[in-house]
Amino acid sequence: MYRPTAYYYRPGVICARKIDTDLLLTCRLVYSETSQLPASINEHTSWYYREPPDIKKRYVPVDDHPASVVRRRHLQTVHIFTQQAWLESYGFANFMGLLWTHACPTTLIITLRHSDWWWWEDEASLTLDPKQEGQASVTHHSRPSDPFPSESWGYQFRKASGLKKLQMELETVESKREELDTIVNRAEGWEFSLGDDRILRLNKSKTRRTGWTGVLLDTDFEEGRSLDIHLGNDQIDNRLEYPPAAKARKRLEATGVLFDEAGSVKGLPAHKTSTYYVVTLTWEAH
């Protein structure tokens, strides 16, 4: 299990994952019929900065070993955790070109965590625009009729042939919910052209809004360091009827936001607790 106070801890990322392939060694027949299942039914995760300590490779493996080549052909789902700066840079452009040169996944998931946004430490305004090159402007926003510049991150989906679904998981603190919802409203007009002449269009019926309780990240948070917080109910000031994080949770729940209890951290002191708001958007190819 990862420490609940670690930077990378969040719902869905609470412990290291291991795929047990011992069953493949049963016999030749079992191996021949099932050897590609680990690649096809499991999510392949890539981290672009601040990954868990057990992650040996941040990037999608592209070695030329014959077994690796065969496995990549069966790769179905790729999930990337990325900082906004990397998404809006040549890094994402290179990633898309490399991935679709060596594989052909059908699902791509992109996660931006609260501390992945530009200048989150200074509580800068949230902004995201797939049609802008480099860091998105806070004051200028593209229109649905605007073209995609070749260096914009939204243009990079033209390299993806065979992609069926794109998910974007956008996370922030509850106090910035209005800013994130503004981005989500604009995203209803985002459409992405694919390399096989199909178009990714947002399926609004699959938009999900969730919340979770976790560690309040300090503005002096150091990369790679776990926050030194003692967990235990004795650290909670029970004289506070509703600590700030609890009030934030009530505000979210009042609007129908569901909380992830399994991924939430229990027993944090009130002054080190934050309520996170997550919106998951789904685009489907047509």
Side-chain angles (χ1 to χ4, degrees):
M1 294 290 291
Y2 294 141
R3 288 184 58 192
T5 52
Y7 171 88
Y8 39 80
Y9 184 98
R10 66 187 310 277
V13 190
I14 63 175
C15 63
R17 296 181 179 181
K18 180 181 178 181
I19 301 174
D20 194 339
T21 58
D22 288 350
L23 183 63
L24 299 180
L25 303 178
T26 303
C27 66
R28 289 177 181 267
L29 179 62
V30 170
Y31 184 85
S32 65
E33 293 182 351
T34 64
S35 61
Q36 306 311 322
L37 286 179
S40 63
I41 66 175
N42 288 287
E43 178 181 285
H44 181 93
T45 304
S46 291
W47 298 79
Y48 293 88
Y49 306 108
R50 296 171 176 170
E51 66 276 9
D54 58 285
I55 302 298
K56 296 180 180 179
K57 291 185 178 180
R58 286 179 175 173
Y59 312 114
V60 175
V62 293
D63 61 86
D64 293 325
H65 189 279
S68 296
V69 173
V70 172
R71 282 195 295 270
R72 286 198 299 271
R73 293 180 188 149
H74 294 267
L75 194 65
Q76 296 295 310
T77 302
V78 173
H79 187 170
I80 60 175
F81 289 85
T82 172
Q83 291 186 313
Q84 185 179 5
W86 182 86
L87 176 69
E88 296 174 339
S89 74
Y90 65 87
F92 181 65
N94 288 346
F95 168 85
M96 292 293 285
L98 191 63
L99 180 61
W100 262 271
T101 297
H102 295 275
C104 190
T106 57
T107 299
L108 178 64
I109 305 170
I110 302 174
T111 295
L112 266 70
R113 298 158 294 185
H114 157 58
S115 48
D116 287 329
W117 298 89
W118 278 107
W119 309 118
W120 67 274
E121 308 95 325
D122 301 323
E123 298 187 4
S125 298
L126 303 183
T127 183
L128 188 66
D129 194 327
K131 294 183 177 181
Q132 292 190 34
E133 296 178 315
Q135 184 176 353
S137 170
V138 177
T139 57
H140 170 72
H141 308 288
S142 65
R143 297 167 298 181
S145 59
D146 291 340
F148 285 93
S150 61
E151 299 299 320
S152 65
W153 63 267
Y155 183 88
Q156 309 313 315
F157 292 101
R158 296 172 185 264
K159 301 172 181 177
S161 296
L163 186 65
K164 296 180 180 179
K165 182 171 67 175
L166 166 68
Q167 279 192 340
M168 291 198 74
E169 188 180 30
L170 307 176
E171 176 187 274
T172 189
V173 288
E174 186 272 342
S175 60
K176 285 184 167 290
R177 176 182 181 173
E178 185 174 340
E179 295 177 28
L180 183 54
D181 281 343
T182 297
I183 293 174
V184 170
N185 290 337
R186 292 196 188 102
E188 293 183 2
W190 297 353
E191 294 186 351
F192 305 101
S193 296
L194 297 173
D196 52 11
D197 296 326
R198 293 177 304 145
I199 296 177
L200 288 170
R201 293 190 174 94
L202 184 71
N203 186 337
K204 292 190 288 186
S205 68
K206 293 187 177 181
T207 297
R208 294 187 292 111
R209 289 174 166 82
T210 58
W212 67 286
T213 302
V215 171
L216 173 65
L217 297 181
D218 297 328
T219 56
D220 62 349
F221 182 79
E222 299 176 8
E223 182 173 336
R225 177 175 67 87
S226 294
L227 298 182
D228 185 17
I229 299 174
H230 174 69
L231 299 180
N233 292 329
D234 59 316
Q235 298 294 309
I236 300 177
D237 189 347
N238 294 317
R239 294 171 299 175
L240 298 175
E241 183 178 3
Y242 296 119
K247 290 182 179 180
R249 172 170 179 157
K250 282 184 170 293
R251 287 192 293 267
L252 290 177
E253 290 180 326
T255 59
V257 174
L258 300 177
F259 265 70
D260 189 320
E261 299 295 348
S264 291
V265 184
K266 310 272 191 315
L268 286 170
H271 70 288
K272 286 294 185 180
T273 304
S274 187
T275 299
Y276 294 97
Y277 173 58
V278 185
V279 181
T280 303
L281 302 169
T282 301
W283 285 263
E284 297 172 340
H286 296 273

